[in-house]
Amino acid sequence: MNTHSAPFQPVSAQDLAWLGTDPIPAKPYYDPAYFELERQAIFMRTWLNVGHVCEIPDSGSFIRREIEFANASVLIVRGKDDDIRAFHNVCTHRGTQLVQAQAGRQSTFSCPYHMWTFSTDGALLSAPDFDQFHVGKKECALPRIAVDVCAGMIFISFAAAPEPLRDWLGDLADRLEALPVARATTFHEYVYEIDANWKLTYDNFQENYHLRFIHPRSAGAGTGAENPFGYPVRYGFHGQHRAQTIWANHNAPPPSAPAMIAYGKAAEAAGANGVLVSQDAKDYFALFPNFFLLGSPLQHFSHVVMPISATRSRGVIRLYWIGEDQSASERFAREYLMATARDIHAEDRGVIEAGQKGLSSGALKHIHFQTQEALCRHLFLSVDAVVAAYKAETALVTEVAA
């Protein structure tokens, strides 16, 4: 029996009228010049999720991230004082990268070229024959990158003085802190590269209009006779950020036997960790520009879409867990849910790349978002507003300089 108190009604066009209904220009989804504006105006200035504190649990623990759009290698380290810091992975002598490993634990970081050695707080500790140089050690510390943490998630910004992270997150900060991710101790990860613009890729995961066509096998719990397209129950807009509450089909047929076991064990583990019931369990949080997180403790996943070029992106999908596997069946449940996420994503990939090919041809001048693709429209409008402000800012600087 359906437990909804009233028949499902999609969010009305009237409620979303403030977003507008005009067609969206297609060129920003493939144009290198527009991508360069995005890179400078957004990605080089905003906060970006690059990891989780569970990856660097101890003093000297580090992770390395390669950020192509910034031409940067980033070293994120937990220091002896337990503070987390981020540095450019570059020796201040002649630029050689200090670390090649993806992750590890070290008390110091030494350049393989001339053995300049740095502490976990970035200070230069020693350098052979340093008295032959004409500079002090303080001037040779590793270049810092802004870093902060919310809900256990590590964010960096390449801006010289970014807005405080919690101010940037606004009212979503406390809601994120209440989610299981804030207490996660481990995760499964799936990394993919795709021949598609970052916005086009990200948009696929912001709308459910495609579910019944691309995911007929896997969308049973998210679509049904009452809501055949699986439209969300509600949307939320928080400045540049967005949220939606996922609808559940309570009349869906039961899942397969392996899925029943997996979901049962996942629910059991979540309950044991005190996170089974959450007011945001069905909520999807989309942080500007390229990150989203689903609040469900059973499939508590995040997805980051990092731009590489105007028509190529890298995605990182993670399922977060609290506690290590306590049994073979719990291990099976977690592996099964990760495999399910990969299978569903595999159904999306081809159509995203096909869409990019069509847009890159230049055949379309505009694309059209319907009412229930409100999050896609909101992302583009947010991006375009920042790009327009950046263009005005740089034009003013040029005018003043002239």
Side-chain angles (χ1 to χ4, degrees):
M1 179 177 178
N2 197 307
T3 60
H4 289 294
S5 58
F8 173 78
Q9 293 292 328
V11 179
S12 72
Q14 182 177 357
D15 289 337
L16 297 169
W18 62 276
L19 281 171
T21 57
D22 292 342
I24 298 298
K27 198 170 184 179
Y29 290 80
Y30 65 86
D31 179 39
Y34 194 90
F35 174 75
E36 177 59 20
L37 289 169
E38 291 176 329
R39 191 183 75 83
Q40 293 285 356
I42 298 172
F43 288 97
M44 294 302 296
R45 294 183 170 193
T46 195
W47 288 103
L48 303 167
N49 175 249
V50 293
H52 192 278
V53 295
C54 69
E55 298 175 79
I56 47 174
D58 305 309
S59 172
S61 299
F62 71 89
I63 52 177
R64 176 176 62 85
R65 295 289 186 262
E66 298 301 303
I67 313 294
E68 285 88 350
F69 70 78
N71 197 27
S73 179
V74 180
L75 184 62
I76 302 163
V77 185
R78 187 180 290 274
K80 294 179 181 178
D81 56 3
D82 205 41
D83 281 356
I84 295 173
R85 299 177 177 87
F87 309 101
H88 285 278
N89 179 27
V90 52
C91 178
T92 51
H93 175 211
R94 283 164 55 183
T96 306
Q97 289 191 339
L98 296 172
V99 174
Q100 297 298 318
Q102 293 280 23
R105 185 181 179 189
Q106 298 178 194
S107 59
T108 60
F109 299 93
S110 295
C111 176
Y113 199 2
H114 297 98
M115 207 49 61
W116 282 34
T117 299
F118 302 85
S119 68
T120 56
D121 65 4
L124 176 62
L125 295 175
S126 64
D129 218 9
F130 192 72
D131 59 1
Q132 296 295 311
F133 288 87
H134 310 285
V135 67
K137 287 183 179 178
K138 286 186 177 180
E139 288 71 49
C140 296
L142 295 178
R144 296 285 290 266
I145 297 170
V147 63
D148 206 347
V149 174
C150 181
M153 298 180 290
I154 300 171
F155 293 80
I156 63 167
S157 174
F158 292 103
E163 178 184 13
L165 177 62
R166 291 191 73 90
D167 291 352
W168 177 75
L169 289 169
D171 61 345
L172 293 182
D174 289 341
R175 291 176 69 183
L176 292 171
E177 291 279 11
L179 295 176
V181 70
R183 287 161 282 163
T185 58
T186 188
F187 59 89
H188 288 85
E189 182 177 86
Y190 165 46
V191 181
Y192 67 93
E193 292 198 4
I194 186 168
D195 289 325
N197 179 268
W198 71 274
K199 297 185 298 300
L200 190 69
T201 303
Y202 190 93
D203 279 348
N204 179 79
F205 305 98
Q206 292 200 104
E207 55 87 358
N208 292 350
Y209 185 37
H210 71 285
L211 291 185
R212 67 183 293 188
F213 311 112
I214 304 302
H215 306 296
R217 176 178 59 86
S218 56
T223 62
E226 186 180 353
N227 185 5
F229 297 104
Y231 292 146
V233 174
R234 67 183 64 86
Y235 301 109
F237 299 93
H238 308 261
Q240 294 174 326
H241 312 304
R242 302 167 298 289
Q244 60 178 324
T245 301
I246 307 302
W247 180 81
N249 178 14
H250 296 283
N251 291 322
S256 65
M260 286 287 287
I261 296 171
Y263 282 111
K265 292 304 297 183
E268 182 181 312
N273 286 294
V275 296
L276 184 56
V277 179
S278 168
Q279 64 178 1
D280 290 326
K282 281 291 182 181
D283 281 0
Y284 159 119
F285 301 92
L287 305 183
F288 184 81
N290 65 335
F291 170 88
F292 71 76
L293 177 77
L294 182 64
S296 168
L298 303 190
Q299 273 193 306
H300 192 50
F301 74 87
S302 69
H303 193 167
V304 176
V305 181
M306 198 69 80
I308 297 175
S309 72
T311 57
R312 189 163 178 80
S313 309
R314 176 181 296 113
V316 180
I317 296 172
R318 287 185 166 189
L319 265 66
Y320 283 105
W321 312 106
I322 299 175
E324 300 301 316
D325 302 326
Q326 298 299 310
S327 64
S329 57
E330 189 172 325
R331 175 66 179 270
F332 162 77
R334 292 179 174 184
E335 295 283 357
Y336 183 92
L337 294 174
M338 183 74 248
T340 299
R342 291 187 67 158
D343 283 351
I344 294 172
H345 176 260
E347 295 170 345
D348 290 303
R349 183 169 184 151
V351 293
I352 297 171
E353 292 188 327
Q356 187 64 59
K357 288 178 179 178
L359 291 174
S360 294
S361 73
L364 301 182
K365 302 304 178 187
H366 296 91
I367 60 177
H368 303 278
F369 289 134
Q370 58 122 309
T371 299
Q372 305 305 322
E373 292 172 303
L375 300 193
C376 303
R377 181 180 294 276
H378 182 264
L379 174 62
F380 175 78
L381 294 177
S382 299
V383 167
D384 204 49
V386 177
V387 166
Y390 176 77
K391 289 168 69 176
E393 173 191 327
T394 52
L396 180 61
V397 170
T398 302
E399 181 181 334
V400 170

